[in-house]
Amino acid sequence: MPYAFVAEATLGKLARWLRIMGFDTIYSPATPTKEWIEDKDKTRILLTRTRKVKDLSNAQTRIFIVSDKPFEQLKEVIHSVGIVPEDIKLFFRCLRCNIPIQPIDKKHVQRLVPDHILETHHLFQTCTGCGRIYWPGTHTENSREVIKKLFE
Ligand SMILES: [Zn+2]
């Protein structure tokens, strides 16, 4: 089952990591209000550090995040929700727009990425929302290492 999240403003780094891992994650620009939360899809899991928000009574599942460190916060989410490595789709969605990225032919990215990237990479993906181009680089490897450590 794919999990979807809504993270409050103070959890930006956590939200970014959840997107890196492929999870649909809405990120609140400010402190969430009762209305803002209730307006969202009720199937999303709310990630919050605010006790007041936690105590609001509606049906949405919520996880109260304790740690200040993004890596520890990720662990809290993984353990609370029961995420397993098979749930993770690394670099599946745009980190900026939260929508799934699409494969794009190399010939269409020629003026959009640096020459050295074009020479050393063959697989590219793009976001239909913001037009950003993605390719498997060292950033992907670093992310894989971090995620591996989460499950050790
Ligand atoms: Zn985008």
Side-chain angles (χ1 to χ4, degrees):
M1 181 203 148
Y3 302 105
F5 301 94
V6 48
E8 71 173 26
T10 56
L11 296 169
K13 282 185 180 147
L14 174 61
R16 187 179 162 84
W17 268 105
L18 288 167
R19 285 181 182 174
I20 288 174
M21 292 161 72
F23 297 108
D24 179 354
T25 307
I26 295 177
Y27 172 54
S28 164
T31 306
T33 62
K34 192 172 188 288
E35 290 71 26
W36 187 85
I37 292 160
E38 288 183 341
D39 195 41
K40 301 296 164 200
D41 187 342
K42 291 287 193 291
T43 61
R44 284 180 187 276
I45 298 165
L46 173 66
L47 306 174
T48 181
R49 305 196 65 188
T50 315
R51 190 69 68 178
K52 202 173 135 212
V53 173
K54 191 192 174 211
D55 294 339
L56 290 176
S57 57
N58 66 43
Q60 197 171 45
T61 308
R62 55 185 61 125
I63 298 171
F64 184 72
I65 301 294
V66 180
S67 179
D68 290 328
K69 301 187 182 77
F71 184 76
E72 296 301 321
Q73 292 173 345
L74 262 177
K75 277 187 169 176
E76 289 180 45
V77 175
I78 284 166
H79 292 145
S80 301
V81 180
I83 291 170
V84 293
E86 291 72 37
D87 293 326
I88 294 168
K89 283 195 257 181
L90 206 57
F91 288 100
F92 169 76
R93 59 184 69 242
C94 179
L95 302 185
R96 201 180 291 160
C97 308
N98 192 41
I99 58 176
I101 52 177
Q102 310 291 336
I104 184 171
D105 199 286
K106 192 174 176 175
K107 64 173 182 268
H108 296 307
V109 302
Q110 286 189 358
R111 271 174 294 276
L112 303 172
V113 300
D115 285 346
H116 70 280
I117 297 296
L118 207 60
E119 283 161 19
T120 50
H121 292 77
H122 303 285
L123 296 173
F124 294 91
Q125 290 182 293
T126 187
C127 169
T128 54
C130 67
R132 187 173 171 181
I133 307 295
Y134 289 87
W135 59 88
T138 50
H139 189 56
T140 317
E141 287 310 309
N142 293 342
S143 303
R144 269 188 230 284
E145 282 303 307
V146 171
I147 289 163
K148 210 175 117 192
K149 285 195 185 85
L150 286 172
F151 292 97
E152 278 170 358

